[in-house]
Coordinates of all heavy atoms in Angstrom, one line a residue:
M22 N 13.9 -17.3 54.8 CA 12.8 -17.4 53.9 C 13.2 -16.6 52.6 O 13.4 -15.4 52.6 CB 11.6 -16.7 54.5 CG 10.8 -17.6 55.5 SD 9.2 -17.0 55.9 CE 9.6 -15.6 56.9
S23 N 13.2 -17.3 51.5 CA 13.5 -16.7 50.2 C 12.3 -16.9 49.3 O 12.0 -18.1 48.9 CB 14.8 -17.1 49.6 OG 14.8 -18.5 49.5
G24 N 11.7 -15.9 48.8 CA 10.6 -16.0 47.9 C 11.1 -16.0 46.5 O 12.2 -15.8 46.2
T25 N 10.1 -16.2 45.6 CA 10.5 -16.1 44.2 C 10.3 -14.7 43.6 O 10.8 -14.4 42.6 CB 9.7 -17.1 43.3 OG1 8.3 -17.0 43.7 CG2 10.1 -18.6 43.6
T26 N 9.5 -13.9 44.3 CA 9.3 -12.6 43.8 C 10.5 -11.7 44.1 O 11.1 -11.8 45.2 CB 8.0 -12.0 44.4 OG1 8.1 -12.1 45.8 CG2 6.8 -12.6 43.9
K27 N 10.9 -10.9 43.2 CA 12.0 -10.0 43.4 C 11.6 -8.8 44.2 O 10.6 -8.2 43.9 CB 12.6 -9.6 42.1 CG 13.6 -10.7 41.5 CD 14.4 -10.2 40.4 CE 15.3 -11.2 39.9 NZ 16.1 -10.8 38.7
Q28 N 12.4 -8.4 45.1 CA 12.2 -7.2 45.9 C 13.3 -6.3 45.7 O 14.5 -6.7 45.5 CB 12.0 -7.6 47.4 CG 10.7 -8.2 47.7 CD 10.5 -8.5 49.2 OE1 11.5 -8.6 49.9 NE2 9.3 -8.6 49.6
A29 N 13.1 -5.0 45.8 CA 14.1 -4.1 45.8 C 15.0 -4.3 47.0 O 14.5 -4.6 48.0 CB 13.6 -2.6 45.8
P30 N 16.3 -4.2 46.8 CA 17.2 -4.3 47.9 C 16.9 -3.4 49.0 O 16.6 -2.2 48.8 CB 18.6 -4.1 47.4 CG 18.4 -3.4 46.1 CD 17.0 -3.8 45.6
R31 N 16.8 -3.9 50.2 CA 16.5 -3.0 51.4 C 17.6 -2.1 51.6 O 18.8 -2.4 51.5 CB 16.2 -3.9 52.6 CG 15.1 -4.8 52.4 CD 14.7 -5.4 53.7 NE 14.0 -4.4 54.6 CZ 12.8 -4.5 55.0 NH1 12.1 -5.5 54.7 NH2 12.3 -3.5 55.7
E32 N 17.2 -0.9 52.0 CA 18.2 0.1 52.3 C 18.6 -0.1 53.8 O 17.8 0.0 54.7 CB 17.7 1.5 52.1 CG 18.5 2.3 51.2 CD 17.9 3.6 50.9 OE1 18.1 4.5 51.7 OE2 17.2 3.8 49.9
R33 N 19.9 -0.2 54.0 CA 20.4 -0.3 55.4 C 20.5 1.1 55.9 O 20.9 2.0 55.2 CB 21.8 -1.0 55.4 CG 21.8 -2.3 54.6 CD 21.2 -3.4 55.4 NE 22.1 -3.8 56.5 CZ 21.8 -4.8 57.4 NH1 20.7 -5.4 57.4 NH2 22.7 -5.1 58.3
V34 N 20.2 1.2 57.2 CA 20.4 2.5 57.8 C 21.5 2.4 58.8 O 21.5 1.6 59.7 CB 19.1 2.9 58.6 CG1 19.2 4.2 59.3 CG2 17.9 2.9 57.6
E35 N 22.5 3.2 58.5 CA 23.7 3.2 59.4 C 23.4 4.0 60.6 O 23.1 5.2 60.4 CB 24.9 3.7 58.6 CG 25.4 2.7 57.5 CD 26.7 3.1 56.9 OE1 27.3 4.2 57.3 OE2 27.2 2.4 56.1
I36 N 23.6 3.4 61.7 CA 23.3 4.2 63.0 C 24.6 4.2 63.8 O 25.2 3.2 64.1 CB 22.2 3.5 63.7 CG1 20.9 3.6 62.9 CG2 22.1 4.0 65.1 CD1 19.7 3.0 63.6
R37 N 25.0 5.4 64.1 CA 26.1 5.6 65.0 C 25.6 5.8 66.4 O 24.7 6.5 66.6 CB 27.0 6.8 64.6 CG 27.9 6.4 63.4 CD 28.8 7.5 63.0 NE 29.6 7.1 61.8 CZ 29.1 6.9 60.6 NH1 27.9 7.1 60.3 NH2 29.9 6.4 59.7
R38 N 26.3 5.2 67.4 CA 25.8 5.2 68.7 C 26.7 6.1 69.6 O 26.7 6.0 70.8 CB 25.8 3.8 69.3 CG 25.0 2.8 68.5 CD 23.5 3.1 68.4 NE 22.9 3.2 69.7 CZ 22.5 2.2 70.4 NH1 22.7 1.0 70.0 NH2 21.9 2.3 71.6
T39 N 27.3 7.1 69.0 CA 28.2 8.0 69.7 C 27.8 9.4 69.4 O 27.2 9.7 68.4 CB 29.6 7.8 69.3 OG1 29.8 7.9 67.9 CG2 30.1 6.4 69.8
G40 N 28.2 10.3 70.3 CA 28.0 11.7 70.0 C 26.5 12.1 70.0 O 25.7 11.3 70.5
P41 N 26.1 13.1 69.3 CA 24.7 13.5 69.3 C 23.8 12.5 68.6 O 22.6 12.5 68.8 CB 24.8 14.9 68.5 CG 26.1 15.0 67.9 CD 27.0 14.1 68.6
E42 N 24.4 11.7 67.7 CA 23.6 10.7 66.9 C 23.0 9.7 67.9 O 22.0 9.1 67.6 CB 24.5 10.0 65.9 CG 24.9 10.8 64.7 CD 23.7 10.9 63.8 OE1 23.5 10.0 63.0 OE2 23.0 12.0 63.8
K43 N 23.7 9.5 69.0 CA 23.2 8.6 70.0 C 21.8 8.9 70.5 O 21.0 8.0 70.8 CB 24.2 8.7 71.2 CG 23.9 7.8 72.4 CD 25.0 8.0 73.5 CE 24.6 7.3 74.8 NZ 25.6 7.6 75.8
Y44 N 21.5 10.2 70.5 CA 20.1 10.6 71.0 C 19.1 10.6 69.9 O 17.9 10.8 70.1 CB 20.2 12.0 71.6 CG 21.2 12.0 72.8 CD1 22.5 12.4 72.6 CD2 20.8 11.5 74.0 CE1 23.4 12.3 73.7 CE2 21.7 11.4 75.1 CZ 23.0 11.9 74.9 OH 23.9 11.8 75.9
R45 N 19.5 10.3 68.6 CA 18.6 10.4 67.5 C 17.8 9.1 67.4 O 16.6 9.1 67.0 CB 19.4 10.6 66.2 CG 18.5 10.6 65.0 CD 19.4 11.0 63.8 NE 18.5 10.8 62.6 CZ 19.0 11.0 61.4 NH1 20.2 11.4 61.2 NH2 18.2 10.8 60.3
W46 N 18.4 8.0 67.7 CA 17.8 6.7 67.5 C 17.3 6.1 68.8 O 18.1 5.9 69.7 CB 18.8 5.8 66.8 CG 19.4 6.4 65.6 CD1 20.6 7.0 65.6 CD2 18.9 6.5 64.3 NE1 20.9 7.5 64.3 CE2 19.8 7.2 63.5 CE3 17.7 6.0 63.7 CZ2 19.6 7.4 62.2 CZ3 17.5 6.3 62.4 CH2 18.4 7.0 61.6
T47 N 16.1 5.9 69.0 CA 15.6 5.4 70.2 C 14.7 4.2 70.0 O 14.2 3.9 68.9 CB 14.7 6.4 71.0 OG1 13.5 6.6 70.3 CG2 15.5 7.7 71.1
C48 N 14.5 3.4 71.1 CA 13.4 2.4 71.0 C 12.1 3.0 70.9 O 12.0 4.3 71.1 CB 13.6 1.5 72.3 SG 12.5 2.0 73.7
P49 N 11.0 2.3 70.6 CA 9.7 2.9 70.5 C 9.2 3.7 71.7 O 8.3 4.5 71.6 CB 8.8 1.7 70.1 CG 9.7 0.7 69.5 CD 11.0 0.9 70.3
E50 N 9.8 3.4 72.9 CA 9.5 4.0 74.1 C 10.4 5.3 74.4 O 10.2 5.9 75.4 CB 9.6 3.1 75.3 CG 8.7 1.8 75.1 CD 7.2 2.1 75.1 OE1 6.8 3.0 75.9 OE2 6.5 1.4 74.4
G51 N 11.3 5.5 73.5 CA 12.1 6.7 73.6 C 13.4 6.5 74.3 O 14.1 7.5 74.7
H52 N 13.9 5.3 74.5 CA 15.1 5.1 75.2 C 16.3 5.0 74.3 O 16.1 4.4 73.2 CB 15.0 3.8 76.1 CG 13.8 3.7 76.9 ND1 12.9 2.7 76.9 CD2 13.4 4.6 77.9 CE1 11.9 3.0 77.8 NE2 12.2 4.1 78.4
I53 N 17.4 5.4 74.7 CA 18.6 5.4 73.8 C 19.5 4.2 74.0 O 20.4 4.0 73.2 CB 19.4 6.7 73.9 CG1 19.9 6.8 75.3 CG2 18.6 7.9 73.5 CD1 21.0 7.9 75.5
A54 N 19.2 3.4 75.0 CA 20.2 2.3 75.4 C 19.8 1.0 74.8 O 20.1 -0.1 75.4 CB 20.3 2.2 76.9
W55 N 19.3 0.9 73.6 CA 18.9 -0.4 73.0 C 20.0 -1.1 72.4 O 21.1 -0.5 72.1 CB 17.7 -0.2 72.0 CG 18.0 0.9 71.0 CD1 17.7 2.2 71.1 CD2 18.7 0.7 69.7 NE1 18.2 2.8 70.0 CE2 18.8 2.0 69.1 CE3 19.3 -0.4 69.1 CZ2 19.4 2.1 67.9 CZ3 19.9 -0.2 67.9 CH2 20.0 1.0 67.3
D56 N 19.8 -2.4 72.1 CA 20.8 -3.2 71.4 C 20.2 -3.9 70.3 O 19.0 -4.3 70.4 CB 21.4 -4.3 72.4 CG 22.5 -3.7 73.2 OD1 23.4 -3.0 72.7 OD2 22.6 -4.0 74.4
R57 N 20.9 -4.1 69.2 CA 20.4 -4.9 68.1 C 20.9 -6.3 68.3 O 22.1 -6.6 68.3 CB 20.9 -4.3 66.8 CG 20.3 -5.0 65.6 CD 21.1 -4.6 64.3 NE 20.4 -5.0 63.1 CZ 20.4 -6.3 62.7 NH1 21.1 -7.2 63.3 NH2 19.8 -6.6 61.6
T58 N 20.0 -7.2 68.4 CA 20.3 -8.6 68.5 C 20.1 -9.3 67.1 O 19.7 -8.6 66.2 CB 19.5 -9.4 69.6 OG1 18.2 -9.6 69.1 CG2 19.4 -8.6 70.9
N59 N 20.2 -10.6 67.1 CA 20.0 -11.3 65.8 C 18.6 -11.3 65.3 O 18.3 -11.5 64.1 CB 20.5 -12.7 65.9 CG 22.0 -12.8 65.9 OD1 22.7 -11.9 65.3 ND2 22.6 -13.8 66.4
N60 N 17.7 -11.1 66.2 CA 16.3 -11.1 65.7 C 15.4 -10.0 66.2 O 14.2 -10.1 66.0 CB 15.6 -12.5 65.9 CG 15.9 -13.0 67.3 OD1 16.2 -12.2 68.2 ND2 15.9 -14.3 67.5
H61 N 15.9 -9.1 67.0 CA 15.1 -8.0 67.4 C 15.9 -6.9 68.0 O 17.1 -7.0 68.1 CB 14.0 -8.4 68.4 CG 14.5 -9.1 69.6 ND1 14.4 -10.5 69.7 CD2 15.1 -8.6 70.7 CE1 15.0 -10.8 70.9 NE2 15.4 -9.7 71.5
I62 N 15.2 -5.8 68.4 CA 15.9 -4.8 69.1 C 15.5 -5.0 70.6 O 14.4 -5.2 70.9 CB 15.3 -3.4 68.7 CG1 15.6 -3.1 67.2 CG2 15.9 -2.2 69.6 CD1 17.0 -2.9 66.8
W63 N 16.5 -5.0 71.4 CA 16.3 -5.2 72.8 C 16.6 -4.0 73.6 O 17.7 -3.4 73.5 CB 17.2 -6.4 73.3 CG 16.8 -6.9 74.6 CD1 15.8 -7.8 74.9 CD2 17.5 -6.6 75.8 NE1 15.8 -8.0 76.3 CE2 16.8 -7.3 76.9 CE3 18.6 -5.8 76.2 CZ2 17.2 -7.2 78.2 CZ3 19.0 -5.7 77.5 CH2 18.3 -6.4 78.5
C64 N 15.7 -3.6 74.5 CA 15.9 -2.4 75.3 C 16.0 -2.7 76.8 O 15.0 -3.1 77.4 CB 14.8 -1.4 75.0 SG 14.9 0.1 76.0
P65 N 17.1 -2.5 77.4 CA 17.3 -2.8 78.8 C 16.4 -1.9 79.7 O 16.0 -2.3 80.8 CB 18.8 -2.5 79.1 CG 19.3 -1.7 78.0 CD 18.4 -2.0 76.8
T66 N 16.1 -0.6 79.2 CA 15.3 0.2 80.0 C 13.8 -0.2 80.0 O 13.2 -0.3 81.1 CB 15.4 1.7 79.5 OG1 16.7 2.1 79.4 CG2 14.7 2.7 80.5
C67 N 13.4 -0.7 78.9 CA 12.0 -1.3 78.8 C 12.0 -2.5 79.7 O 11.0 -2.8 80.3 CB 11.7 -1.6 77.4 SG 11.2 -0.2 76.4
R68 N 13.1 -3.3 79.6 CA 13.1 -4.5 80.4 C 13.0 -4.2 81.9 O 12.2 -4.9 82.7 CB 14.5 -5.2 80.2 CG 14.9 -6.3 81.1 CD 14.1 -7.6 80.8 NE 14.3 -8.5 81.9 CZ 13.9 -9.8 81.8 NH1 13.3 -10.2 80.7 NH2 14.0 -10.6 82.8
Q69 N 13.7 -3.1 82.4 CA 13.5 -2.7 83.8 C 12.1 -2.3 84.1 O 11.6 -2.7 85.1 CB 14.5 -1.5 84.0 CG 15.9 -1.9 84.3 CD 16.8 -0.7 84.5 OE1 16.3 0.5 84.7 NE2 18.1 -0.9 84.5
Q70 N 11.5 -1.6 83.2 CA 10.1 -1.1 83.4 C 9.2 -2.4 83.5 O 8.3 -2.4 84.3 CB 9.7 -0.2 82.4 CG 10.4 1.1 82.4 CD 9.9 2.1 81.4 OE1 9.1 1.8 80.6 NE2 10.4 3.4 81.4
H71 N 9.5 -3.3 82.6 CA 8.7 -4.5 82.6 C 8.8 -5.3 83.9 O 7.8 -5.8 84.5 CB 9.2 -5.4 81.5 CG 8.4 -6.7 81.3 ND1 7.2 -6.8 80.8 CD2 8.8 -8.0 81.7 CE1 6.8 -8.1 80.9 NE2 7.7 -8.8 81.4
E72 N 10.0 -5.3 84.5 CA 10.3 -6.0 85.7 C 9.6 -5.2 86.9 O 9.3 -5.8 87.9 CB 11.8 -6.1 86.0 CG 12.4 -7.2 85.2 CD 13.9 -7.3 85.3 OE1 14.5 -6.4 86.0 OE2 14.5 -8.2 84.8
H73 N 9.3 -4.0 86.7 CA 8.6 -3.2 87.7 C 7.1 -3.2 87.5 O 6.4 -2.4 88.1 CB 9.1 -1.8 87.8 CG 10.5 -1.6 88.4 ND1 11.7 -1.7 87.7 CD2 10.8 -1.4 89.7 CE1 12.7 -1.6 88.6 NE2 12.2 -1.4 89.8
G74 N 6.7 -4.2 86.7 CA 5.2 -4.4 86.5 C 4.6 -3.5 85.5 O 3.3 -3.6 85.4
E75 N 5.4 -2.8 84.7 CA 4.7 -2.0 83.7 C 4.5 -2.8 82.4 O 5.2 -3.8 82.2 CB 5.6 -0.7 83.4 CG 5.6 0.3 84.5 CD 6.4 1.5 84.1 OE1 6.3 2.0 83.0 OE2 7.2 1.9 85.0
D76 N 3.5 -2.4 81.7 CA 3.1 -3.1 80.5 C 4.0 -2.7 79.3 O 3.5 -2.1 78.4 CB 1.6 -2.9 80.2 CG 1.1 -3.7 79.1 OD1 1.8 -4.8 78.8 OD2 0.1 -3.4 78.5
V77 N 5.2 -3.1 79.4 CA 6.2 -2.7 78.4 C 6.9 -3.9 77.9 O 7.3 -4.8 78.7 CB 7.2 -1.7 78.9 CG1 8.3 -1.3 77.9 CG2 6.5 -0.4 79.4
D78 N 7.1 -4.1 76.6 CA 7.8 -5.2 76.1 C 9.2 -4.8 75.8 O 9.4 -3.8 75.0 CB 7.1 -5.7 74.8 CG 7.6 -7.1 74.4 OD1 8.7 -7.4 74.7 OD2 6.8 -7.8 73.7
P79 N 10.2 -5.5 76.3 CA 11.6 -5.0 76.0 C 12.1 -5.4 74.6 O 13.1 -5.0 74.2 CB 12.4 -5.8 77.1 CG 11.6 -7.0 77.4 CD 10.2 -6.6 77.3
E80 N 11.3 -6.2 73.9 CA 11.7 -6.6 72.6 C 10.9 -5.8 71.5 O 9.7 -5.8 71.6 CB 11.4 -8.1 72.4 CG 12.3 -9.0 73.2 CD 12.0 -10.5 73.1 OE1 11.2 -10.8 72.2 OE2 12.5 -11.3 73.9
H81 N 11.7 -5.2 70.7 CA 11.1 -4.3 69.7 C 11.5 -4.8 68.3 O 12.6 -5.5 68.1 CB 11.5 -2.9 69.9 CG 11.2 -2.4 71.2 ND1 9.9 -2.2 71.7 CD2 12.0 -2.0 72.3 CE1 10.0 -1.7 73.0 NE2 11.2 -1.6 73.3
Y82 N 10.8 -4.4 67.3 CA 11.1 -4.7 65.9 C 11.4 -3.5 65.1 O 11.6 -3.6 63.9 CB 10.0 -5.6 65.3 CG 10.0 -6.9 66.1 CD1 9.1 -7.1 67.2 CD2 10.9 -8.0 65.8 CE1 9.1 -8.2 68.0 CE2 10.9 -9.1 66.6 CZ 10.0 -9.2 67.6 OH 10.0 -10.4 68.4
H83 N 11.5 -2.4 65.7 CA 12.0 -1.2 65.0 C 12.5 -0.2 66.0 O 12.3 -0.3 67.2 CB 10.9 -0.6 64.2 CG 9.7 -0.1 65.0 ND1 8.7 -0.9 65.4 CD2 9.5 1.1 65.5 CE1 7.8 -0.2 66.1 NE2 8.3 1.0 66.2
V84 N 13.3 0.7 65.5 CA 13.7 1.9 66.3 C 13.2 3.1 65.7 O 12.7 3.1 64.5 CB 15.3 2.0 66.4 CG1 15.9 0.8 67.1 CG2 15.9 2.1 65.0
I85 N 13.2 4.2 66.4 CA 12.6 5.4 65.9 C 13.7 6.4 65.6 O 14.6 6.6 66.4 CB 11.7 6.1 67.0 CG1 10.6 5.1 67.4 CG2 11.0 7.4 66.5 CD1 9.5 4.8 66.4
D86 N 13.6 7.0 64.5 CA 14.5 8.2 64.2 C 13.8 9.4 64.7 O 12.8 9.9 64.2 CB 14.6 8.2 62.6 CG 15.6 9.4 62.2 OD1 15.9 10.2 63.1 OD2 15.9 9.4 61.0
Q87 N 14.4 10.0 65.8 CA 13.7 11.1 66.4 C 13.8 12.4 65.6 O 13.1 13.3 65.8 CB 14.4 11.4 67.8 CG 14.2 10.2 68.8 CD 12.7 10.1 69.3 OE1 11.9 11.0 69.1 NE2 12.4 9.0 69.9
K88 N 14.7 12.3 64.6 CA 14.8 13.5 63.7 C 13.6 13.6 62.7 O 13.1 14.7 62.5 CB 16.1 13.4 63.0 CG 16.6 14.7 62.4 CD 18.0 14.5 61.9 CE 18.5 15.7 61.1 NZ 19.9 15.5 60.6
T89 N 13.2 12.4 62.2 CA 12.2 12.4 61.2 C 10.9 11.8 61.7 O 9.8 11.9 61.1 CB 12.6 11.7 60.0 OG1 12.8 10.3 60.3 CG2 13.9 12.2 59.4
G90 N 11.0 11.1 62.9 CA 9.8 10.4 63.4 C 9.6 9.1 62.7 O 8.6 8.4 63.0
E91 N 10.5 8.7 61.8 CA 10.3 7.4 61.0 C 10.7 6.2 61.8 O 11.6 6.3 62.7 CB 11.1 7.5 59.8 CG 10.5 8.3 58.7 CD 11.4 8.3 57.4 OE1 12.1 7.4 57.2 OE2 11.3 9.4 56.7
R92 N 10.1 5.1 61.5 CA 10.5 3.8 62.1 C 11.5 3.2 61.2 O 11.4 3.2 60.0 CB 9.3 2.9 62.2 CG 8.2 3.3 63.1 CD 7.1 2.4 63.0 NE 6.1 2.6 64.1 CZ 5.3 1.6 64.5 NH1 5.4 0.4 63.9 NH2 4.5 1.8 65.6
V93 N 12.5 2.6 61.8 CA 13.5 1.8 61.0 C 13.4 0.3 61.5 O 13.6 0.1 62.7 CB 14.9 2.3 61.2 CG1 15.9 1.5 60.4 CG2 14.9 3.8 60.8
A94 N 13.1 -0.6 60.6 CA 12.9 -2.0 61.0 C 14.3 -2.5 61.5 O 15.3 -2.1 60.9 CB 12.4 -2.8 59.9
W95 N 14.3 -3.4 62.4 CA 15.6 -3.9 63.0 C 16.5 -4.5 62.0 O 17.7 -4.4 62.0 CB 15.3 -4.8 64.2 CG 14.8 -6.2 63.7 CD1 13.5 -6.6 63.7 CD2 15.6 -7.3 63.3 NE1 13.5 -7.9 63.2 CE2 14.7 -8.4 63.0 CE3 17.0 -7.5 63.1 CZ2 15.2 -9.6 62.5 CZ3 17.4 -8.8 62.6 CH2 16.5 -9.8 62.3
E96 N 15.9 -5.2 61.0 CA 16.7 -5.8 60.0 C 17.4 -4.8 59.0 O 18.4 -5.1 58.3 CB 15.9 -6.8 59.1 CG 14.8 -6.2 58.3 CD 13.5 -6.3 58.9 OE1 13.4 -6.2 60.1 OE2 12.5 -6.6 58.2
D97 N 16.9 -3.6 59.1 CA 17.6 -2.5 58.3 C 18.6 -1.7 59.1 O 19.3 -0.9 58.6 CB 16.5 -1.6 57.7 CG 15.5 -2.3 56.8 OD1 15.9 -3.3 56.2 OD2 14.4 -1.8 56.7
V98 N 18.6 -2.0 60.4 CA 19.5 -1.2 61.2 C 20.9 -1.8 61.1 O 21.1 -3.0 61.3 CB 19.0 -1.3 62.7 CG1 20.1 -0.8 63.7 CG2 17.7 -0.6 62.9
E99 N 21.9 -0.9 60.9 CA 23.3 -1.3 60.9 C 24.0 -0.4 61.8 O 24.1 0.8 61.6 CB 23.9 -1.2 59.5 CG 25.3 -1.7 59.4 CD 25.6 -2.2 58.0 OE1 24.9 -1.9 57.1 OE2 26.6 -2.9 57.9
V100 N 24.4 -1.0 63.0 CA 25.1 -0.2 64.0 C 26.5 -0.1 63.5 O 27.2 -1.1 63.3 CB 24.9 -0.8 65.4 CG1 25.7 0.0 66.4 CG2 23.5 -0.9 65.8
V101 N 26.9 1.2 63.4 CA 28.3 1.4 62.9 C 29.1 1.9 64.1 O 28.8 2.8 64.8 CB 28.3 2.5 61.9 CG1 29.7 2.8 61.4 CG2 27.4 2.1 60.7
N102 N 30.2 1.2 64.3 CA 31.1 1.6 65.4 C 32.2 2.5 64.9 O 32.7 2.2 63.8 CB 31.7 0.3 66.1 CG 30.7 -0.5 66.8 OD1 29.9 0.0 67.6 ND2 30.7 -1.8 66.6
P103 N 32.5 3.5 65.6 CA 33.5 4.5 65.1 C 34.8 3.8 65.0 O 35.1 2.8 65.6 CB 33.4 5.6 66.1 CG 32.8 5.1 67.3 CD 31.9 3.9 66.9
Ligands
ZN14 ZN1 12.9 1.1 75.7

């Protein structure tokens, strides 16, 4: 979808999944084992809970920065491999 209105370029958030940084970024439920797919954040731990009958959706559209409490939209997430 490309509109005609100009938007400021979105800031990508580089996320490292190793070392202490690994614990900084979590799914909205607080899990660290999420994956970024082409159209959402997918959390296997939420998926497990969902399979156990809990009212949890494994598909998310943002991750949480536990350091600041901010949400980062999945499209701004850039997973950086060391
Ligand atoms: Zn989760």
Side-chain angles (χ1 to χ4, degrees):
M22 280 193 288
S23 57
T25 49
T26 49
K27 279 192 177 174
Q28 287 183 335
R31 299 193 71 120
E32 236 176 84
R33 308 281 287 178
V34 179
E35 292 189 357
I36 292 181
R37 280 181 182 73
R38 308 294 304 281
T39 54
E42 286 284 280
K43 181 179 170 181
Y44 300 97
R45 178 173 172 185
W46 310 95
T47 72
C48 90
E50 303 294 324
H52 309 125
I53 59 170
W55 51 269
D56 276 317
R57 185 190 190 283
T58 75
N59 284 336
N60 46 24
H61 57 258
I62 299 292
W63 190 83
C64 176
T66 309
C67 283
R68 168 77 192 188
Q69 278 179 11
Q70 293 184 353
H71 179 76
E72 283 175 355
H73 284 89
E75 288 182 46
D76 187 21
V77 178
D78 194 333
E80 293 177 8
H81 305 294
Y82 295 92
H83 63 273
V84 296
I85 305 290
D86 180 350
Q87 295 291 344
K88 199 169 171 181
T89 63
E91 280 178 33
R92 294 173 164 208
V93 181
W95 73 264
E96 66 261 38
D97 299 331
V98 169
E99 187 155 12
V100 177
V101 180
N102 291 311

